Amino acid sequence: MLGSSAHSTVDARPEIASSWMRSRLSGLDSDTTPRLDRVDVADGCLRRAAAPVLDRVCREFDGAPLVFVLADHDARILDIRHASPAVRDAVDGMGIEPGIRLAEEEVGTNAVGTVLEARQPLLVHGPEHFMSAFHEFSCFGQPIIHPITRRLEGVLDVGGGAGEDHRYFAPIAQRLVGEIEDRLALSTPAAQHNLLAAFHSAARRKERPMMVLGEGMVLATPAALDLLDPADHAAVRAGADTARTMAVTNRLTLESGREVEFTCTPVDGGNGVLVDFATARSSPKPQPRPSVEEWPLLVVGETGTGRTTEAVRAAGLGGEIVDAADVVHTGEQAWAVGLGRQLAQDGAVVIIENVHLLTDSLATLVARLIRGTRRHVVLTSTRADDAGIHPSLVGLCAARRELAPLRRRRHEIPGLARRMLAEEAVASDLRLTSATLHVLAAHPWPGNLAELRRVIHALARTRTAGDIIPTDLPAPYREVGTPLSPIRHAEREVIVAAIEAAGGNKLKAAQSLGVSRSTLYNRLRALKIA
Protein backbone atom coordinates (compact mmCIF):
# COMPACT_ATOMS: atom_id res chain seq x y z
CA MET A 1 0.00 0.00 0.00
CA LEU A 2 1.34 3.42 -0.88
CA GLY A 3 0.49 5.04 2.45
CA SER A 4 -1.66 4.81 5.53
CA SER A 5 -3.10 7.05 8.19
CA ALA A 6 0.33 6.98 9.84
CA HIS A 7 1.81 8.31 6.60
CA SER A 8 4.98 6.29 6.38
CA THR A 9 7.31 7.77 3.80
CA VAL A 10 8.53 4.32 2.75
CA ASP A 11 8.04 3.95 -1.03
CA ALA A 12 6.19 7.27 -1.17
CA ARG A 13 6.96 9.54 -4.11
CA PRO A 14 9.29 12.43 -3.13
CA GLU A 15 6.66 15.09 -3.81
CA ILE A 16 4.12 13.25 -1.64
CA ALA A 17 6.63 12.61 1.16
CA SER A 18 7.58 16.30 1.18
CA SER A 19 3.94 17.31 1.33
CA TRP A 20 3.25 14.95 4.23
CA MET A 21 6.17 16.48 6.10
CA ARG A 22 4.83 20.01 5.51
CA SER A 23 1.39 18.86 6.65
CA ARG A 24 2.78 17.50 9.93
CA LEU A 25 4.76 20.70 10.50
CA SER A 26 1.49 22.62 10.11
CA GLY A 27 0.19 20.72 13.14
CA LEU A 28 -2.34 18.60 11.23
CA ASP A 29 -3.61 15.20 12.40
CA SER A 30 -4.36 12.79 9.56
CA ASP A 31 -7.21 11.06 11.37
CA THR A 32 -9.19 14.16 12.34
CA THR A 33 -12.06 15.57 10.33
CA PRO A 34 -10.78 18.49 8.24
CA ARG A 35 -12.01 21.89 9.35
CA LEU A 36 -13.64 23.47 6.30
CA ASP A 37 -14.53 27.13 6.76
CA ARG A 38 -16.57 28.67 3.96
CA VAL A 39 -16.60 32.27 2.71
CA ASP A 40 -18.41 33.83 -0.24
CA VAL A 41 -16.31 34.02 -3.41
CA ALA A 42 -16.40 36.79 -5.99
CA ASP A 43 -17.16 36.29 -9.68
CA GLY A 44 -13.64 37.15 -10.89
CA CYS A 45 -11.79 36.78 -14.20
CA LEU A 46 -10.72 33.17 -13.59
CA ARG A 47 -14.20 32.01 -12.70
CA ARG A 48 -15.71 33.74 -15.74
CA ALA A 49 -13.06 32.32 -18.09
CA ALA A 50 -13.53 28.79 -16.77
CA ALA A 51 -17.35 28.69 -16.64
CA PRO A 52 -17.99 27.91 -20.35
CA VAL A 53 -15.22 25.30 -20.35
CA LEU A 54 -16.68 23.57 -17.30
CA ASP A 55 -20.19 23.75 -18.77
CA ARG A 56 -19.03 21.96 -21.90
CA VAL A 57 -16.92 19.29 -20.16
CA CYS A 58 -19.86 18.31 -17.94
CA ARG A 59 -21.98 17.73 -21.04
CA GLU A 60 -19.10 15.86 -22.67
CA PHE A 61 -18.64 13.48 -19.69
CA ASP A 62 -22.28 13.34 -18.62
CA GLY A 63 -22.77 10.37 -16.28
CA ALA A 64 -19.03 9.70 -15.79
CA PRO A 65 -17.82 9.42 -12.14
CA LEU A 66 -15.86 12.69 -12.35
CA VAL A 67 -15.72 15.94 -10.43
CA PHE A 68 -14.07 19.18 -11.63
CA VAL A 69 -12.89 21.65 -8.98
CA LEU A 70 -11.72 25.17 -9.85
CA ALA A 71 -9.69 26.99 -7.16
CA ASP A 72 -7.95 30.36 -7.07
CA HIS A 73 -4.31 31.16 -6.21
CA ASP A 74 -5.21 31.07 -2.49
CA ALA A 75 -6.64 27.52 -2.75
CA ARG A 76 -10.18 28.87 -2.35
CA ILE A 77 -12.75 26.84 -4.35
CA LEU A 78 -14.47 29.03 -6.97
CA ASP A 79 -16.58 26.41 -8.75
CA ILE A 80 -17.41 22.68 -8.60
CA ARG A 81 -18.98 20.65 -11.41
CA HIS A 82 -20.11 17.02 -11.12
CA ALA A 83 -20.65 14.72 -14.08
CA SER A 84 -22.82 12.27 -12.09
CA PRO A 85 -25.21 12.43 -9.11
CA ALA A 86 -23.23 9.77 -7.22
CA VAL A 87 -20.04 11.86 -7.29
CA ARG A 88 -22.01 14.96 -6.33
CA ASP A 89 -23.40 13.20 -3.25
CA ALA A 90 -19.96 11.95 -2.22
CA VAL A 91 -18.37 15.38 -2.59
CA ASP A 92 -21.23 17.12 -0.80
CA GLY A 93 -20.93 14.59 2.01
CA MET A 94 -17.37 15.75 2.68
CA GLY A 95 -18.46 19.38 2.87
CA ILE A 96 -16.57 20.39 -0.27
CA GLU A 97 -18.29 23.42 -1.86
CA PRO A 98 -17.45 26.84 -3.35
CA GLY A 99 -15.86 29.09 -0.75
CA ILE A 100 -13.97 26.27 1.01
CA ARG A 101 -10.18 26.65 1.23
CA LEU A 102 -8.06 23.57 0.43
CA ALA A 103 -4.67 25.01 1.37
CA GLU A 104 -2.08 22.44 2.30
CA GLU A 105 -1.54 23.95 5.76
CA GLU A 106 -5.27 23.54 6.49
CA VAL A 107 -6.21 20.13 5.03
CA GLY A 108 -2.84 18.56 4.22
CA THR A 109 -1.76 16.94 0.97
CA ASN A 110 -4.34 17.41 -1.79
CA ALA A 111 -4.45 18.20 -5.52
CA VAL A 112 -5.21 21.89 -4.98
CA GLY A 113 -3.12 23.16 -2.06
CA THR A 114 -0.12 20.95 -2.80
CA VAL A 115 -0.18 21.93 -6.48
CA LEU A 116 -0.09 25.60 -5.46
CA GLU A 117 2.72 24.89 -2.99
CA ALA A 118 4.84 23.03 -5.56
CA ARG A 119 3.67 25.13 -8.56
CA GLN A 120 3.56 22.01 -10.74
CA PRO A 121 0.99 19.38 -11.82
CA LEU A 122 0.40 16.56 -9.37
CA LEU A 123 -1.65 13.37 -9.05
CA VAL A 124 -2.74 12.54 -5.51
CA HIS A 125 -4.03 8.97 -5.43
CA GLY A 126 -6.39 7.85 -2.64
CA PRO A 127 -4.24 7.19 0.46
CA GLU A 128 -1.68 9.75 -0.70
CA HIS A 129 -4.02 12.43 0.67
CA PHE A 130 -2.76 13.39 4.13
CA MET A 131 -6.20 13.29 5.75
CA SER A 132 -7.99 9.96 5.77
CA ALA A 133 -11.29 11.72 5.02
CA PHE A 134 -10.08 12.18 1.42
CA HIS A 135 -8.72 8.63 0.87
CA GLU A 136 -11.76 7.60 -1.19
CA PHE A 137 -10.80 10.04 -3.97
CA SER A 138 -7.97 10.31 -6.50
CA CYS A 139 -7.33 13.73 -7.99
CA PHE A 140 -5.07 15.41 -10.53
CA GLY A 141 -4.34 19.11 -10.17
CA GLN A 142 -3.09 21.28 -13.04
CA PRO A 143 -1.85 24.87 -12.36
CA ILE A 144 -3.51 27.67 -14.34
CA ILE A 145 -0.95 30.24 -15.51
CA HIS A 146 -2.11 33.54 -16.96
CA PRO A 147 -0.61 33.65 -20.50
CA ILE A 148 -0.12 37.44 -20.37
CA THR A 149 1.16 38.10 -16.85
CA ARG A 150 2.61 34.60 -16.28
CA ARG A 151 1.04 34.72 -12.83
CA LEU A 152 -0.27 31.57 -11.14
CA GLU A 153 -4.04 32.17 -11.19
CA GLY A 154 -5.24 28.93 -9.63
CA VAL A 155 -5.71 25.19 -10.11
CA LEU A 156 -8.10 22.91 -11.96
CA ASP A 157 -8.55 19.61 -10.10
CA VAL A 158 -10.04 16.61 -11.95
CA GLY A 159 -11.04 13.84 -9.55
CA GLY A 160 -12.99 10.65 -9.08
CA GLY A 161 -13.22 7.61 -6.84
CA ALA A 162 -9.94 6.03 -5.72
CA GLY A 163 -10.89 2.86 -7.62
CA GLU A 164 -11.32 4.70 -10.93
CA ASP A 165 -8.71 4.61 -13.69
CA HIS A 166 -6.93 7.88 -12.88
CA ARG A 167 -4.59 7.71 -15.90
CA TYR A 168 -6.94 9.84 -18.00
CA PHE A 169 -7.26 12.59 -15.31
CA ALA A 170 -4.06 14.34 -16.42
CA PRO A 171 -4.83 14.71 -20.14
CA ILE A 172 -8.37 15.94 -19.34
CA ALA A 173 -7.06 18.53 -16.87
CA GLN A 174 -4.30 19.69 -19.22
CA ARG A 175 -6.73 20.14 -22.11
CA LEU A 176 -9.23 22.07 -20.01
CA VAL A 177 -6.56 24.30 -18.48
CA GLY A 178 -5.24 25.10 -21.96
CA GLU A 179 -8.71 26.29 -22.96
CA ILE A 180 -9.11 28.31 -19.75
CA GLU A 181 -5.74 29.99 -20.27
CA ASP A 182 -6.70 30.86 -23.86
CA ARG A 183 -9.90 32.46 -22.59
CA LEU A 184 -7.95 34.40 -19.97
CA ALA A 185 -5.72 35.82 -22.69
CA LEU A 186 -8.70 36.84 -24.85
CA SER A 187 -10.49 38.44 -21.90
CA THR A 188 -7.47 40.41 -20.76
CA PRO A 189 -8.39 44.10 -21.10
CA ALA A 190 -6.33 46.44 -23.24
CA ALA A 191 -5.36 48.22 -20.02
CA GLN A 192 -3.49 45.15 -18.80
CA HIS A 193 -1.66 44.86 -22.12
CA ASN A 194 -0.58 48.48 -21.70
CA LEU A 195 0.61 47.81 -18.17
CA LEU A 196 2.57 44.79 -19.34
CA ALA A 197 4.19 46.82 -22.14
CA ALA A 198 5.13 49.55 -19.66
CA PHE A 199 6.68 46.99 -17.33
CA HIS A 200 8.73 45.29 -20.07
CA SER A 201 9.98 48.68 -21.22
CA ALA A 202 10.99 49.78 -17.71
CA ALA A 203 12.39 46.40 -16.65
CA ARG A 204 15.13 46.27 -19.28
CA ARG A 205 17.55 47.21 -16.51
CA LYS A 206 16.98 44.12 -14.44
CA GLU A 207 19.13 45.35 -11.57
CA ARG A 208 16.74 48.28 -11.03
CA PRO A 209 13.87 47.69 -8.57
CA MET A 210 10.69 48.31 -10.59
CA MET A 211 7.03 47.36 -10.18
CA VAL A 212 3.74 47.82 -12.02
CA LEU A 213 0.56 47.89 -9.97
CA GLY A 214 -2.83 47.67 -11.66
CA GLU A 215 -6.27 46.26 -11.05
CA GLY A 216 -5.74 42.54 -10.58
CA MET A 217 -2.08 42.76 -11.67
CA VAL A 218 1.25 43.11 -9.87
CA LEU A 219 4.52 42.77 -11.80
CA ALA A 220 7.96 43.16 -10.23
CA THR A 221 11.61 42.79 -11.24
CA PRO A 222 13.81 40.39 -9.22
CA ALA A 223 15.53 43.42 -7.69
CA ALA A 224 12.17 44.70 -6.38
CA LEU A 225 11.31 41.29 -4.93
CA ASP A 226 14.68 41.20 -3.16
CA LEU A 227 14.21 44.73 -1.83
CA LEU A 228 10.67 44.41 -0.42
CA ASP A 229 9.36 42.20 2.36
CA PRO A 230 5.74 41.07 2.04
CA ALA A 231 4.73 43.63 4.68
CA ASP A 232 6.20 46.45 2.53
CA HIS A 233 3.79 45.82 -0.36
CA ALA A 234 0.82 47.39 1.41
CA ALA A 235 2.79 50.61 1.93
CA VAL A 236 3.86 50.72 -1.72
CA ARG A 237 0.28 50.12 -2.87
CA ALA A 238 -0.96 52.94 -0.65
CA GLY A 239 1.64 55.28 -2.13
CA ALA A 240 0.73 54.24 -5.66
CA ASP A 241 -2.94 55.06 -5.04
CA THR A 242 -2.00 58.74 -4.72
CA ALA A 243 -0.54 58.81 -8.24
CA ARG A 244 -3.68 58.55 -10.37
CA THR A 245 -3.11 61.66 -12.47
CA MET A 246 0.51 62.73 -11.92
CA ALA A 247 3.83 61.34 -10.74
CA VAL A 248 4.34 61.31 -6.96
CA THR A 249 7.53 60.61 -5.01
CA ASN A 250 7.32 59.17 -1.50
CA ARG A 251 9.89 58.23 1.11
CA LEU A 252 9.43 54.95 2.95
CA THR A 253 11.27 53.04 5.68
CA LEU A 254 11.14 49.37 4.72
CA GLU A 255 10.64 46.44 7.07
CA SER A 256 14.40 45.79 6.73
CA GLY A 257 15.15 49.24 8.18
CA ARG A 258 16.39 50.67 4.89
CA GLU A 259 14.92 53.90 3.60
CA VAL A 260 13.95 54.27 -0.06
CA GLU A 261 12.40 56.88 -2.26
CA PHE A 262 9.93 55.52 -4.80
CA THR A 263 8.33 57.41 -7.65
CA CYS A 264 4.85 56.36 -8.80
CA THR A 265 3.98 57.33 -12.38
CA PRO A 266 0.56 56.68 -13.98
CA VAL A 267 0.65 54.40 -17.04
CA ASP A 268 -1.18 55.90 -20.01
CA GLY A 269 -4.19 53.78 -20.91
CA GLY A 270 -3.30 51.22 -18.28
CA ASN A 271 -5.32 52.22 -15.22
CA GLY A 272 -2.23 51.47 -13.16
CA VAL A 273 1.03 52.84 -11.84
CA LEU A 274 4.71 52.24 -12.57
CA VAL A 275 6.79 52.26 -9.36
CA ASP A 276 10.52 53.06 -9.58
CA PHE A 277 12.66 52.65 -6.45
CA ALA A 278 15.69 54.85 -5.89
CA THR A 279 18.87 53.57 -4.27
CA ALA A 280 18.21 52.57 -0.67
CA ARG A 281 20.08 54.19 2.18
CA SER A 282 21.06 52.46 5.37
CA SER A 283 19.03 54.69 7.71
CA PRO A 284 16.75 57.70 7.58
CA LYS A 285 18.13 61.16 8.21
CA PRO A 286 17.23 62.47 11.66
CA GLN A 287 14.92 65.47 11.72
CA PRO A 288 16.91 68.51 12.86
CA ARG A 289 15.82 70.43 15.93
CA PRO A 290 14.85 74.03 15.39
CA SER A 291 17.68 76.51 15.64
CA VAL A 292 17.50 79.57 17.91
CA GLU A 293 16.31 81.67 14.96
CA GLU A 294 13.30 79.38 14.44
CA TRP A 295 11.49 80.14 17.71
CA PRO A 296 8.58 80.42 18.38
CA LEU A 297 7.49 77.32 16.47
CA LEU A 298 3.90 76.66 15.31
CA VAL A 299 2.84 73.00 14.92
CA VAL A 300 -0.42 72.58 12.98
CA GLY A 301 -2.36 69.38 12.33
CA GLU A 302 -5.79 67.80 12.50
CA THR A 303 -6.96 66.06 15.65
CA GLY A 304 -5.00 62.86 16.15
CA THR A 305 -2.08 63.71 13.82
CA GLY A 306 0.44 63.82 16.67
CA ARG A 307 0.76 67.54 17.34
CA THR A 308 1.76 67.02 20.97
CA THR A 309 4.32 64.37 20.04
CA GLU A 310 5.85 66.66 17.43
CA ALA A 311 5.87 69.62 19.83
CA VAL A 312 7.57 67.57 22.56
CA ARG A 313 10.10 66.28 20.04
CA ALA A 314 10.89 69.83 18.95
CA ALA A 315 11.07 71.10 22.55
CA GLY A 316 13.49 68.43 23.71
CA LEU A 317 13.93 67.22 27.30
CA GLY A 318 12.06 69.01 30.03
CA GLY A 319 9.46 70.75 27.87
CA GLU A 320 6.53 72.12 29.88
CA ILE A 321 3.00 71.85 28.48
CA VAL A 322 0.22 74.41 28.98
CA ASP A 323 -3.15 73.57 27.35
CA ALA A 324 -5.54 76.31 26.22
CA ALA A 325 -8.38 73.82 26.65
CA ASP A 326 -7.93 74.24 30.45
CA VAL A 327 -9.23 77.83 30.20
CA VAL A 328 -12.78 76.44 30.46
CA HIS A 329 -12.04 75.00 33.91
CA THR A 330 -9.65 77.58 35.38
CA GLY A 331 -11.02 80.77 33.83
CA GLU A 332 -9.17 83.15 31.51
CA GLN A 333 -7.58 85.26 34.23
CA ALA A 334 -6.20 82.38 36.31
CA TRP A 335 -4.97 80.57 33.19
CA ALA A 336 -3.20 83.70 31.88
CA VAL A 337 -1.59 84.42 35.27
CA GLY A 338 -0.22 80.87 35.43
CA LEU A 339 1.21 81.10 31.91
CA GLY A 340 2.75 84.49 32.69
CA ARG A 341 4.54 83.07 35.73
CA GLN A 342 5.99 80.22 33.69
CA LEU A 343 7.21 82.47 30.89
CA ALA A 344 8.74 84.91 33.39
CA GLN A 345 11.07 82.21 34.72
CA ASP A 346 14.10 80.69 33.03
CA GLY A 347 13.73 77.08 31.99
CA ALA A 348 12.97 74.61 29.24
CA VAL A 349 10.75 75.14 26.21
CA VAL A 350 7.08 75.94 26.96
CA ILE A 351 4.49 74.19 24.78
CA ILE A 352 1.14 76.01 24.51
CA GLU A 353 -1.39 73.56 23.12
CA ASN A 354 -4.61 74.27 21.17
CA VAL A 355 -4.11 78.02 20.69
CA HIS A 356 -7.04 78.06 18.26
CA LEU A 357 -9.31 77.80 21.34
CA LEU A 358 -8.13 81.14 22.74
CA THR A 359 -10.46 84.13 22.53
CA ASP A 360 -9.16 87.17 20.67
CA SER A 361 -8.42 89.09 23.87
CA LEU A 362 -6.64 86.16 25.48
CA ALA A 363 -4.67 85.43 22.29
CA THR A 364 -3.48 89.06 22.26
CA LEU A 365 -2.33 88.72 25.87
CA VAL A 366 -0.52 85.45 25.16
CA ALA A 367 1.26 87.04 22.19
CA ARG A 368 2.46 89.86 24.48
CA LEU A 369 3.72 87.36 27.08
CA ILE A 370 5.62 85.40 24.39
CA ARG A 371 7.29 88.54 23.05
CA GLY A 372 8.47 89.39 26.57
CA THR A 373 9.92 85.99 27.50
CA ARG A 374 13.41 84.62 27.03
CA ARG A 375 12.13 81.06 26.91
CA HIS A 376 11.51 79.23 23.68
CA VAL A 377 7.85 78.52 22.88
CA VAL A 378 6.01 75.97 20.74
CA LEU A 379 2.37 76.59 19.79
CA THR A 380 0.01 73.85 18.55
CA SER A 381 -3.28 74.17 16.69
CA THR A 382 -5.73 71.93 14.84
CA ARG A 383 -6.51 74.66 12.34
CA ALA A 384 -4.57 74.33 9.10
CA ASP A 385 -5.77 77.76 7.96
CA ASP A 386 -4.45 80.93 9.60
CA ALA A 387 -8.01 82.22 9.92
CA GLY A 388 -8.48 79.80 12.80
CA ILE A 389 -5.49 81.21 14.75
CA HIS A 390 -5.30 84.75 16.02
CA PRO A 391 -3.09 86.88 13.71
CA SER A 392 -1.04 88.13 16.65
CA LEU A 393 0.11 84.56 17.36
CA VAL A 394 0.67 83.59 13.71
CA GLY A 395 2.82 86.69 13.16
CA LEU A 396 5.06 85.76 16.09
CA CYS A 397 6.04 82.33 14.78
CA ALA A 398 9.37 82.16 12.99
CA ALA A 399 8.83 78.52 11.91
CA ARG A 400 5.86 76.33 11.14
CA ARG A 401 5.37 72.57 10.81
CA GLU A 402 2.32 71.17 9.04
CA LEU A 403 1.42 67.62 10.04
CA ALA A 404 -0.33 65.91 7.14
CA PRO A 405 -3.34 63.72 8.01
CA LEU A 406 -3.02 59.98 7.51
CA ARG A 407 -5.23 60.06 4.41
CA ARG A 408 -2.48 62.12 2.70
CA ARG A 409 0.37 59.79 3.72
CA ARG A 410 -1.23 56.39 3.39
CA HIS A 411 2.08 54.75 2.48
CA GLU A 412 3.21 55.32 6.08
CA ILE A 413 0.23 53.52 7.64
CA PRO A 414 1.63 49.93 7.39
CA GLY A 415 4.85 50.94 9.15
CA LEU A 416 2.97 52.93 11.78
CA ALA A 417 0.59 50.03 12.41
CA ARG A 418 3.45 47.56 12.84
CA ARG A 419 5.28 49.84 15.29
CA MET A 420 2.09 50.45 17.28
CA LEU A 421 1.41 46.70 17.46
CA ALA A 422 4.96 46.08 18.72
CA GLU A 423 4.32 48.62 21.48
CA GLU A 424 0.86 47.32 22.38
CA ALA A 425 1.18 43.56 21.98
CA VAL A 426 2.05 41.36 24.93
CA ALA A 427 3.16 38.50 22.65
CA SER A 428 6.08 39.12 20.32
CA ASP A 429 4.78 36.75 17.59
CA LEU A 430 1.59 38.71 16.90
CA ARG A 431 1.76 39.90 13.27
CA LEU A 432 -0.32 41.98 10.86
CA THR A 433 -0.60 40.16 7.52
CA SER A 434 0.03 41.95 4.25
CA ALA A 435 -3.70 41.79 3.42
CA THR A 436 -4.55 43.41 6.77
CA LEU A 437 -2.01 46.17 6.23
CA HIS A 438 -3.54 46.81 2.80
CA VAL A 439 -7.00 47.18 4.36
CA LEU A 440 -5.66 49.54 7.05
CA ALA A 441 -3.84 51.65 4.46
CA ALA A 442 -7.04 52.02 2.43
CA HIS A 443 -9.05 53.40 5.35
CA PRO A 444 -9.48 57.24 5.45
CA TRP A 445 -8.72 57.50 9.21
CA PRO A 446 -10.57 60.73 10.03
CA GLY A 447 -9.22 60.38 13.59
CA ASN A 448 -5.67 60.01 12.25
CA LEU A 449 -2.99 58.49 14.50
CA ALA A 450 -5.22 58.45 17.56
CA GLU A 451 -7.87 56.41 15.71
CA LEU A 452 -5.28 54.01 14.32
CA ARG A 453 -3.82 53.59 17.80
CA ARG A 454 -7.26 52.69 19.21
CA VAL A 455 -7.77 50.01 16.55
CA ILE A 456 -4.31 48.49 17.11
CA HIS A 457 -4.85 48.57 20.88
CA ALA A 458 -8.12 46.65 20.44
CA LEU A 459 -6.42 44.06 18.22
CA ALA A 460 -3.61 43.54 20.72
CA ARG A 461 -6.18 42.90 23.45
CA THR A 462 -8.32 40.47 21.47
CA ARG A 463 -5.51 38.43 19.87
CA THR A 464 -2.61 36.92 21.77
CA ALA A 465 -0.63 35.17 19.03
CA GLY A 466 -0.42 34.45 15.32
CA ASP A 467 -1.43 36.40 12.24
CA ILE A 468 -3.99 39.19 12.36
CA ILE A 469 -6.14 38.85 9.21
CA PRO A 470 -8.69 41.38 7.89
CA THR A 471 -11.64 39.61 9.58
CA ASP A 472 -9.94 40.19 12.95
CA LEU A 473 -10.32 43.96 12.51
CA PRO A 474 -13.27 45.78 14.13
CA ALA A 475 -16.28 45.59 11.81
CA PRO A 476 -16.10 49.18 10.41
CA TYR A 477 -12.48 48.64 9.33
CA ARG A 478 -12.67 45.27 7.53
CA GLU A 479 -13.61 46.33 4.00
CA VAL A 480 -11.54 48.17 1.42
CA GLY A 481 -13.64 50.79 -0.33
CA THR A 482 -13.20 51.82 -3.95
CA PRO A 483 -10.52 54.55 -4.16
CA LEU A 484 -11.90 58.00 -4.92
CA SER A 485 -11.12 59.60 -8.26
CA PRO A 486 -8.81 62.65 -8.09
CA ILE A 487 -11.82 64.96 -8.55
CA ARG A 488 -13.85 63.27 -5.80
CA HIS A 489 -10.79 63.20 -3.53
CA ALA A 490 -10.31 66.97 -4.04
CA GLU A 491 -14.02 67.56 -3.38
CA ARG A 492 -13.77 65.60 -0.15
CA GLU A 493 -10.78 67.63 1.01
CA VAL A 494 -12.58 70.93 0.31
CA ILE A 495 -15.68 69.85 2.23
CA VAL A 496 -13.68 68.57 5.21
CA ALA A 497 -11.70 71.84 5.31
CA ALA A 498 -14.92 73.91 5.17
CA ILE A 499 -16.46 71.98 8.07
CA GLU A 500 -13.29 72.38 10.13
CA ALA A 501 -13.18 76.13 9.38
CA ALA A 502 -16.81 76.38 10.53
CA GLY A 503 -16.00 74.67 13.82
CA GLY A 504 -18.10 71.64 12.88
CA ASN A 505 -21.19 73.70 12.03
CA LYS A 506 -22.45 72.15 8.80
CA LEU A 507 -24.88 74.99 8.05
CA LYS A 508 -22.04 77.52 8.14
CA ALA A 509 -19.90 75.14 6.07
CA ALA A 510 -22.64 74.88 3.43
CA GLN A 511 -22.93 78.68 3.30
CA SER A 512 -19.17 79.09 2.86
CA LEU A 513 -19.24 76.53 0.03
CA GLY A 514 -22.20 78.26 -1.64
CA VAL A 515 -24.49 75.21 -1.49
CA SER A 516 -27.66 74.35 0.41
CA ARG A 517 -27.50 72.32 3.59
CA SER A 518 -29.33 69.40 1.93
CA THR A 519 -26.77 69.39 -0.91
CA LEU A 520 -23.94 69.32 1.60
CA TYR A 521 -25.50 66.39 3.47
CA ASN A 522 -25.93 64.49 0.18
CA ARG A 523 -22.25 64.99 -0.61
CA LEU A 524 -21.27 63.94 2.93
CA ARG A 525 -23.12 60.64 2.44
CA ALA A 526 -21.74 60.08 -1.07
CA LEU A 527 -18.15 60.74 0.01
CA LYS A 528 -18.55 58.88 3.32
CA ILE A 529 -17.59 61.87 5.45
CA ALA A 530 -18.60 61.34 9.09
Side-chain angles (χ1 to χ4, degrees):
M1 190 173 183
L2 194 56
S4 68
S5 60
H7 292 103
S8 170
T9 58
V10 177
D11 297 329
R13 291 181 290 151
E15 57 270 32
I16 298 298
S18 297
S19 178
W20 286 347
M21 180 64 69
R22 292 192 299 269
S23 301
R24 293 191 192 99
L25 291 175
S26 297
L28 298 178
D29 184 344
S30 61
D31 291 324
T32 59
T33 301
R35 179 183 174 184
L36 303 175
D37 294 327
R38 182 187 178 280
V39 300
D40 291 333
V41 291
D43 187 23
C45 295
L46 177 58
R47 193 175 181 181
R48 289 194 297 270
V53 178
L54 296 177
D55 288 341
R56 182 181 50 74
V57 76
C58 283
R59 293 193 299 270
E60 182 181 340
F61 288 96
D62 184 31
L66 293 175
V67 59
F68 305 93
V69 178
L70 178 73
D72 65 12
H73 61 86
D74 193 38
R76 186 76 63 184
I77 297 177
L78 301 178
D79 200 351
I80 298 179
R81 303 297 181 92
H82 318 86
S84 75
V87 173
R88 181 186 60 235
D89 293 343
V91 172
D92 290 347
M94 291 191 298
I96 303 298
E97 60 179 324
I100 295 300
R101 189 165 182 258
L102 296 179
E104 191 180 67
E105 69 268 18
E106 294 187 12
V107 298
T109 306
N110 70 91
V112 173
T114 304
V115 169
L116 291 170
E117 189 74 29
R119 300 180 69 89
Q120 61 183 10
L122 179 67
L123 172 70
V124 181
H125 177 60
E128 290 182 325
H129 288 93
F130 183 80
M131 288 192 165
S132 56
F134 299 137
H135 284 186
E136 298 303 316
F137 277 84
S138 292
C139 304
F140 180 88
Q142 178 74 25
I144 303 172
I145 308 297
H146 198 295
I148 303 297
T149 65
R150 306 309 303 165
R151 185 176 66 179
L152 177 60
E153 294 287 342
V155 173
L156 181 67
D157 178 353
V158 176
E164 298 295 328
D165 185 355
H166 55 74
R167 290 175 297 178
Y168 59 86
F169 289 1
I172 293 175
Q174 290 163 359
R175 173 169 63 87
L176 297 179
V177 166
E179 294 178 19
I180 293 171
E181 290 176 348
D182 288 343
R183 291 183 60 83
L184 281 172
L186 292 173
S187 65
T188 299
Q192 289 197 2
H193 287 280
N194 292 337
L195 288 177
L196 189 64
F199 176 74
H200 285 318
S201 176
R204 289 172 182 167
R205 295 172 54 194
K206 295 184 179 180
E207 73 282 358
R208 181 79 167 181
M210 306 285 298
M211 296 181 70
V212 162
L213 302 175
E215 185 176 353
M217 175 185 288
V218 178
L219 304 172
T221 61
L225 295 176
D226 291 340
L227 178 66
L228 302 176
D229 283 349
D232 296 322
H233 287 268
V236 174
R237 279 182 174 274
D241 283 343
T242 65
R244 297 294 180 180
T245 58
M246 59 183 297
V248 176
T249 298
N250 293 307
R251 180 172 294 178
L252 174 67
T253 301
L254 302 176
E255 186 75 4
S256 63
R258 290 194 292 177
E259 186 180 359
V260 297
E261 286 187 350
F262 62 101
T263 300
C264 304
T265 306
V267 176
D268 291 339
N271 193 25
V273 175
L274 175 68
V275 183
D276 182 9
F277 295 89
T279 304
R281 297 190 295 273
S282 58
S283 61
K285 291 182 179 179
Q287 187 172 12
R289 281 199 50 197
S291 64
V292 175
E293 292 77 21
E294 292 177 323
W295 301 103
L297 170 67
L298 175 62
V299 178
V300 179
E302 294 178 7
T303 300
T305 50
R307 297 184 317 279
T308 301
T309 300
E310 182 63 25
V312 170
R313 183 184 297 117
L317 295 175
E320 301 174 13
I321 298 178
V322 180
D323 196 339
D326 294 337
V327 171
V328 176
H329 305 290
T330 63
E332 289 192 4
Q333 184 175 357
W335 186 86
V337 169
L339 176 63
R341 287 174 181 166
Q342 279 186 285
L343 293 178
Q345 302 169 1
D346 291 333
V349 175
V350 175
I351 301 169
I352 306 177
E353 292 243 65
N354 299 309
V355 295
H356 59 283
L357 299 177
L358 296 173
T359 61
D360 289 348
S361 59
L362 192 53
T364 301
L365 175 58
V366 170
R368 186 163 67 245
L369 292 174
I370 293 174
R371 281 195 295 268
T373 186
R374 290 178 297 182
R375 297 179 72 168
H376 296 323
V377 177
V378 179
L379 308 176
T380 76
S381 172
T382 62
R383 305 298 290 270
D385 58 320
D386 292 343
I389 312 172
H390 197 277
S392 61
L393 293 176
V394 175
L396 276 177
C397 297
R400 177 177 180 137
R401 292 187 187 172
E402 296 271 0
L403 303 181
L406 277 185
R407 63 180 177 274
R408 294 180 186 165
R409 47 192 179 106
R410 291 174 50 203
H411 64 284
E412 297 180 20
I413 292 175
L416 290 168
R418 289 195 299 267
R419 287 195 291 274
M420 288 179 182
L421 183 63
E423 295 167 3
E424 296 278 350
V426 176
S428 60
D429 60 345
L430 196 59
R431 189 181 74 93
L432 294 160
T433 65
S434 180
T436 305
L437 291 171
H438 176 58
V439 172
L440 292 175
H443 191 73
W445 299 107
N448 293 295
L449 292 169
E451 184 183 3
L452 178 61
R453 172 74 70 177
R454 287 195 299 271
V455 171
I456 298 300
H457 177 81
L459 289 172
R461 293 299 172 267
T462 55
R463 289 292 302 270
T464 57
D467 289 349
I468 296 175
I469 60 177
T471 53
D472 293 324
L473 294 170
Y477 299 89
R478 291 174 188 166
E479 295 184 0
V480 179
T482 304
L484 294 175
S485 69
I487 294 176
R488 292 291 174 263
H489 182 76
E491 181 186 5
R492 191 182 199 281
E493 293 290 303
V494 169
I495 292 175
V496 169
I499 293 174
E500 290 174 352
N505 188 313
K506 293 184 174 62
L507 176 58
K508 289 183 178 179
Q511 291 171 346
S512 69
L513 292 168
V515 299
S516 67
R517 184 168 59 176
S518 60
T519 298
L520 176 60
Y521 276 103
N522 287 336
R523 298 315 299 154
L524 292 178
R525 286 191 294 270
L527 299 171
K528 294 182 173 59
I529 301 174

